[in-house]
Amino acid sequence: MTPLASVLDRIAAALERLTPPPPPAPDFSNADAFVWQAASQHLQPVERVNRVAISLLKGIDRVRDTLLDNTARFASGLPANNALLWGARGMGKSSLVKAVHAEVVAARRAGDPLKLVEIHREDIESLPELMARLRPARCRFIVFCDDLSFDGGDTSYKSLKAALEGGLEGRPDNVLFYATSNRRHLIPRDMVDNERATAINPGEAVEEKVSLSDRFGLWLGFHNCSQDEYLTMVMAYAAHFRVPTPPDVLAREALEWAATRGNRSGRVAWQFIQDSAGRAGVTISGADAPG
């Protein structure tokens, strides 16, 4: 071997030592749910998902049935849509995604497994890398992002658009994307107005922003609940967790609880039940909490 070849071999070996090894292929048999760790390109198994039974989600029957049907069709290999669950805070958007996943998994007896993968909002730019990791797997995946929105000069929405529909490869056939947001349009109006003011073609600038929501075939709206719906949620939780407080007392205290918060929602109902159960000496597992 010539001296030059020896030097080149040493340089190549040093570069290989500096280059991190590729991440190992994920083992999806470990769990039904995973969290995407973007920094390490790792899918972290979740031993016990923080969710409630779908029967405890009250006042959202229409959107529940729509999302359940969409998810069941996808799990069976049939066409299905990406879904955006938008609207009032605390009305069970993320809880429904997790509950629907559990319901479909429990009902399946054959076919490819259905896994739930959560990606954090701040890691959306890594969505294409996550899709690439999931594409070759013999599973089907619901990729889920909670509280998704974009502000200011944030351009990571472009990664989301490309991952959902664009690009040469497009979205993998075994991946569906569900997101929750307080906004129907993920881009705020002031961001659209700023873009329009500086754009050569204002109409095209607005169209680019609005088209992000169009990547979701299902728009499922969640609205503030009525007093009757709120009390139905409270009573369902009380019955499920066997809170011994008499119904008339429970209803009166639940309304007082909501009044102090100026809001009625599934989250407020859950917070009240935690307080009521604690005062009654009833234990509730943290993993039973709605998301």
Side-chain angles (χ1 to χ4, degrees):
M1 178 180 294
T2 66
L4 178 58
S6 178
V7 170
L8 291 176
D9 284 345
R10 290 199 300 273
I11 292 174
L15 290 175
E16 288 180 359
R17 289 194 296 272
L18 291 173
T19 303
D27 182 2
F28 292 113
S29 64
N30 286 340
D32 285 331
F34 299 81
V35 175
W36 171 242
Q37 306 290 345
S40 59
Q41 301 280 290
H42 173 63
L43 284 156
Q44 179 67 40
V46 178
E47 293 184 7
R48 187 175 181 187
V49 177
N50 179 24
R51 59 186 167 204
V52 296
I54 199 168
S55 60
L56 289 178
L57 299 177
K58 304 296 184 181
I60 53 172
D61 295 1
R62 185 188 63 81
V63 293
R64 177 201 64 202
D65 294 345
T66 300
L67 192 67
L68 185 58
D69 177 66
N70 191 68
T71 307
R73 283 191 281 111
F74 171 70
S76 299
L78 297 172
N81 277 302
N82 300 315
L84 174 62
L85 290 72
W86 66 276
R89 69 187 190 275
M91 281 302 295
K93 296 184 293 293
S94 61
S95 294
L96 180 60
V97 172
K98 292 179 283 188
V100 160
H101 170 256
E103 188 79 1
V104 172
V105 168
R108 288 180 61 74
R109 296 291 180 266
D112 295 333
L114 178 65
K115 307 295 182 178
L116 183 66
V117 177
E118 182 176 19
I119 181 171
H120 298 305
R121 159 65 190 87
E122 58 270 21
D123 296 329
I124 276 295
E125 283 190 321
S126 70
L127 186 57
E129 287 77 17
L130 172 58
M131 296 284 197
R133 297 296 302 279
L134 302 181
R135 187 183 296 271
R138 298 200 54 165
C139 296
R140 303 185 75 78
F141 300 94
I142 300 293
V143 175
F144 166 55
C145 184
D146 192 24
D147 199 20
L148 179 63
S149 63
F150 301 92
D151 295 302
D154 189 352
T155 60
S156 60
Y157 71 90
K158 295 181 179 179
S159 298
L160 176 58
K161 286 176 63 176
L164 293 183
E165 297 292 347
L168 291 175
E169 291 184 303
R171 174 171 54 85
D173 290 338
N174 63 333
V175 176
L176 213 55
F177 188 79
Y178 287 176
T180 70
S181 177
N182 291 335
R183 304 180 186 141
R184 183 171 183 175
H185 292 292
L186 300 173
I187 307 298
R189 180 176 296 276
D190 59 348
M191 185 174 172
V192 175
D193 290 341
N194 290 340
E195 190 76 12
R196 179 164 46 193
T198 58
I200 296 175
N201 189 323
E204 289 183 0
V206 173
E207 180 65 24
E208 181 182 5
K209 297 297 185 292
V210 174
S211 67
L212 176 58
S213 295
D214 291 342
R215 297 305 197 269
F216 296 89
L218 288 181
W219 289 6
L220 303 178
F222 289 69
H223 308 286
N224 290 320
C225 63
S226 67
Q227 178 173 298
D228 287 344
E229 288 170 333
Y230 169 70
L231 290 177
T232 298
M233 297 171 188
V234 168
M235 297 305 171
Y237 281 135
H240 181 78
F241 295 111
R242 300 180 180 177
V243 178
T245 309
D248 58 332
V249 176
L250 201 66
R252 183 181 70 252
E253 293 178 348
L255 293 176
E256 292 174 356
W257 182 274
T260 63
R261 280 145 186 80
N263 183 37
R264 293 189 297 262
S265 69
R267 182 177 296 143
V268 172
W270 171 252
Q271 292 167 344
F272 167 72
I273 283 297
Q274 286 184 298
D275 180 79
S276 184
R279 286 186 282 109
V282 175
T283 302
I284 296 177
S285 170
D288 292 325

